Amino acid sequence: MSIPFIDAIRSYLQGDGAVILPEMELVLFGLGIMLIDFWIEEKEKYLNAGLALAGAIFSGATLWMLRGKITLSGGVLVGFHESAVVDGFVLFFGILFLASTALVILLSVKYLEIEKEQEGEYYALLLFACVGMMLMASGIDLIVMFLGLETMALSFYILTGFLRREKRSNEAALKYVLLGAFSSGILAYGFSLLYGLSASTNIGSIGAALGQRNQLVGAIVRSQQPGAAGEQMRQLIAARMPMALHLDPFTLQLLPILAFVLVLVGLLFKVAAVPFHQWAPDVYEGAPTPVTAYISIASKTASFALLLRLLLVVFSVSQETWIYVIAGVAIASLTWGNLAALTQTNVKRLLAYSSISHVGYILLGLVAWDGSTRTLNENAATGIAYYLFAYVFMTAGAFAVIIVLRQKGLIGEELDDLNGLYQRSPTAALLLLIFMLSLAGIPPTAGFMGKYFIFLSLIETHHPLLALFAVLYIVPALYYYFRIVAHAWLKQPGEAPRPVMTSAQAVALAVTVFVSLAGGLYPEPFYKLAHYAFGR
């Protein structure tokens, strides 16, 4: 017997609904957590974490099952009047977002118990933030992208100030809200200019409109040159578009340039690139440590996914100009991130500055364009994806060790709190060493392979000086990462208690250390996954 309502739902899920089915599952689980939280006792609050973890797993399984539909649809599944897609890019980044969410859920259970903040909305907000990130990756419409960005950002604002009784958490949340709202306003203004220039919010249509505008500017410039070629171009324009002869090329390019600058500034704030990084150290230090890890790995990865979509589709026609801007920001991020990290005594602030330097390495990959194909170099595209993949797991692992150190009466965030960790917990000290080696880019770790592909792409596209700068900046990184190792391995332990690792924390650490080592020892499957992200 056919039931119209059920048939309508089934038809929807086989059509447009399939594009956002993983996100819908996360929303349902998030709402379920907020409802169930009212019914369960204090001692059963861990069930919230279990339900959130189940939501991430279900969503990941659904996302992975969409591969078949993508193959049948020619490599891309489009829905909602070309507003959202599911392709290799979305699958890759979606898996990263869900993996980040699952790791943070596992690391949060004991931490929230110690902080006495075992509220169900914490896990619901993690899932809602993940929904925003997935929309940022799957959106090919400016409105969808912006909605995804703000869904993620609003969730993070609340999560940053989740420790309501701690002054520094409240201050960090306030700074994050004010600066985040300012950057979102700038980005929205850039999006409005793009809409005005193209009369469309679809990024493919916007890219085509900017390409036509660029061709017109080139024709006007050639028509103003002396000689037969200039005269021929003037006659051609006079026949097809006589009004264009009276247009100024600089004026025509002014609005596209302004739109690019506004969009880039808004997104550079989200990835914490210099000079828009000021929020990162304070937010990293003040937020609950699992939230700090989530902002560091998931928010940054999602913002890069959005940046890649816009640069490779909307602004690809002007890449010969903006790669110099990106290169300058990358070198500034490498310089300031590494130098500022040298003097830090708080581990979370140190990792905040080091994350800024990692942004510099990833941005360098965007400089490596292939002049013959006018697309991103193959090794650059793979390198960016591989670097982000490695960054998620090695950074999550580093924060996981700090979370393990959090005991009643001990914050565990200062370098001195790591003193004698090897004697107190050899396993934690060994894991910390592996994560620091990977973050520094030392073989045989995943961090090394990520840097290798970036350096290779710079050399292949004739940017040896940038590659040299990037290699040299590994030296200060080695110093401050090994400061952490020295405190853990060489210093004498004080009165700090022996860290106690829960089962959930052990699972998270096992996953992160496995990927950090396997990505360097046997990179082929991870390389294929990164390759798949860009449909190469």
Side-chain angles (χ1 to χ4, degrees):
M1 188 174 92
S2 177
I3 302 175
F5 178 70
I6 301 298
D7 290 342
I9 293 176
R10 187 181 293 115
S11 175
Y12 174 73
L13 293 178
Q14 290 174 350
D16 285 346
V19 178
I20 61 165
L21 185 56
E23 289 91 331
M24 287 193 292
E25 289 177 351
L26 288 175
V27 170
L28 290 174
F29 272 94
L31 295 175
I33 290 169
M34 295 179 74
L35 287 173
I36 292 171
D37 186 56
F38 286 107
W39 300 334
I40 57 178
E41 299 293 334
E42 190 72 27
K43 61 183 178 181
E44 298 174 332
K45 290 290 186 180
Y46 66 89
L47 293 175
N48 289 325
L51 194 57
L53 189 61
I57 293 171
F58 270 100
S59 182
T62 302
L63 186 64
W64 195 247
M65 288 166 58
L66 287 175
R67 288 181 306 148
K69 285 192 174 184
I70 292 173
T71 303
L72 293 174
S73 304
V76 59
L77 188 64
V78 185
F80 296 98
H81 302 285
E82 298 186 350
S83 294
V85 298
V86 179
D87 53 11
F89 187 87
V90 174
L91 283 177
F92 175 80
F93 280 98
I95 293 299
L96 278 189
F97 302 150
L98 291 166
S100 304
T101 306
L103 289 171
V104 171
I105 290 168
L106 290 170
L107 294 171
S108 297
V109 181
K110 183 65 176 178
Y111 185 91
L112 294 181
E113 182 184 329
I114 293 171
E115 297 290 351
K116 298 180 180 178
E117 291 285 0
Q118 296 171 283
E119 306 296 341
E121 57 263 30
Y122 174 89
Y123 297 103
L125 286 167
L126 290 180
L127 297 185
F128 295 153
C130 189
V131 170
M133 296 174 211
M134 294 176 75
L135 289 175
M136 288 167 68
S138 64
I140 54 171
D141 185 278
L142 296 182
I143 297 173
V144 175
M145 289 175 162
F146 193 76
L147 285 174
L149 178 67
E150 288 307 294
T151 301
M152 177 193 76
L154 289 171
S155 301
F156 278 134
Y157 298 154
I158 301 170
L159 287 168
T160 301
F162 206 78
L163 301 182
R164 290 163 291 184
R165 290 182 291 272
E166 284 200 19
K167 183 179 178 181
R168 64 174 187 166
S169 181
N170 298 330
E171 290 178 353
L174 183 59
K175 290 177 183 177
Y176 200 10
V177 168
L178 293 175
L179 292 173
F182 182 67
S183 69
S184 294
I186 293 174
L187 183 65
Y189 190 43
F191 280 1
S192 69
L193 287 177
L194 290 176
Y195 173 72
L197 288 167
S198 61
S200 174
T201 55
N202 180 274
I203 60 172
S205 301
I206 295 170
L210 292 182
Q212 293 173 359
R213 196 181 187 95
N214 203 44
Q215 290 176 354
L216 177 61
V217 169
I220 294 173
V221 169
R222 288 193 296 273
S223 72
Q224 294 175 350
Q225 295 175 352
E231 180 61 31
Q232 185 178 3
M233 183 57 68
R234 280 193 294 275
Q235 292 176 1
L236 182 63
I237 294 176
R240 296 186 177 182
M241 195 182 296
M243 289 295 296
L245 291 173
H246 306 289
L247 297 176
D248 179 30
F250 176 76
T251 305
L252 281 174
Q253 286 293 76
L254 190 59
L255 283 179
I257 291 171
L258 181 59
F260 170 76
V261 170
L262 292 171
V263 169
L264 187 65
V265 167
L267 290 177
L268 288 180
F269 173 90
K270 301 301 182 184
V271 300
V274 174
F276 310 103
H277 65 285
Q278 295 92 341
W279 63 272
D282 292 332
V283 171
Y284 277 42
E285 184 181 9
T289 308
V291 175
T292 302
Y294 202 37
I295 292 172
S296 180
I297 58 178
S299 173
K300 200 178 295 293
T301 305
S303 299
F304 266 113
L306 183 55
L307 182 64
L308 286 166
R309 279 278 195 208
L310 291 171
L311 289 182
L312 299 183
V313 177
V314 175
F315 299 110
S316 60
V317 294
S318 56
Q319 56 84 19
E320 293 176 354
T321 303
W322 59 250
I323 59 171
Y324 297 105
V325 178
I326 297 293
V329 173
I331 293 298
S333 299
L334 282 168
T335 303
W336 182 247
N338 281 311
L339 294 181
L342 293 173
T343 59
Q344 301 303 314
T345 58
N346 182 282
V347 180
K348 288 167 72 173
R349 289 186 74 89
L350 189 153
L351 291 175
Y353 282 111
S354 79
S355 74
I356 294 169
S357 70
H358 287 294
V359 168
Y361 283 113
I362 298 167
L363 288 175
L364 283 177
L366 286 169
V367 178
W369 276 70
D370 191 330
S372 58
T373 60
R374 296 184 64 83
T375 57
L376 200 61
N377 175 272
E378 184 173 340
N379 278 320
T382 305
I384 290 171
Y386 200 104
Y387 201 111
L388 287 169
F389 183 85
Y391 176 80
V392 163
F393 288 93
M394 62 191 182
T395 305
F399 278 108
V401 175
I402 300 172
I403 293 168
V404 169
L405 293 178
R406 177 70 173 101
Q407 305 290 325
K408 289 182 180 179
L410 177 67
I411 301 297
E413 296 173 5
E414 298 296 325
L415 280 174
D416 290 340
D417 293 331
L418 294 170
N419 288 352
L421 181 60
Y422 175 72
Q423 298 178 42
R424 292 185 283 140
S425 176
T427 302
L430 179 61
L431 291 172
L432 184 64
L433 173 63
I434 293 170
F435 296 132
M436 292 302 110
L437 288 172
S438 188
L439 285 166
I442 305 300
T445 61
F448 167 76
M449 293 305 300
K451 285 184 172 64
Y452 167 76
F453 289 123
I454 297 291
F455 298 160
L456 180 62
S457 67
L458 289 172
I459 293 170
E460 287 179 342
T461 53
H462 311 294
H463 296 101
L465 195 58
L466 288 177
L468 178 62
F469 267 111
V471 171
L472 289 176
Y473 276 120
I474 293 177
V475 177
L478 280 172
Y479 172 77
Y480 58 74
Y481 285 130
F482 274 86
R483 278 182 69 205
I484 296 176
V485 174
H487 276 267
W489 284 72
L490 303 178
K491 300 276 186 177
Q492 290 299 315
E495 298 179 359
R498 175 186 173 85
V500 178
M501 191 181 300
T502 65
S503 299
Q505 291 170 343
V507 170
L509 282 165
V511 171
T512 52
V513 76
F514 171 78
V515 175
S516 297
L517 288 175
L521 293 170
Y522 186 57
E524 185 177 355
F526 304 103
Y527 176 82
K528 288 181 179 178
L529 183 62
H531 211 250
Y532 179 68
F534 288 90
R536 301 293 177 93

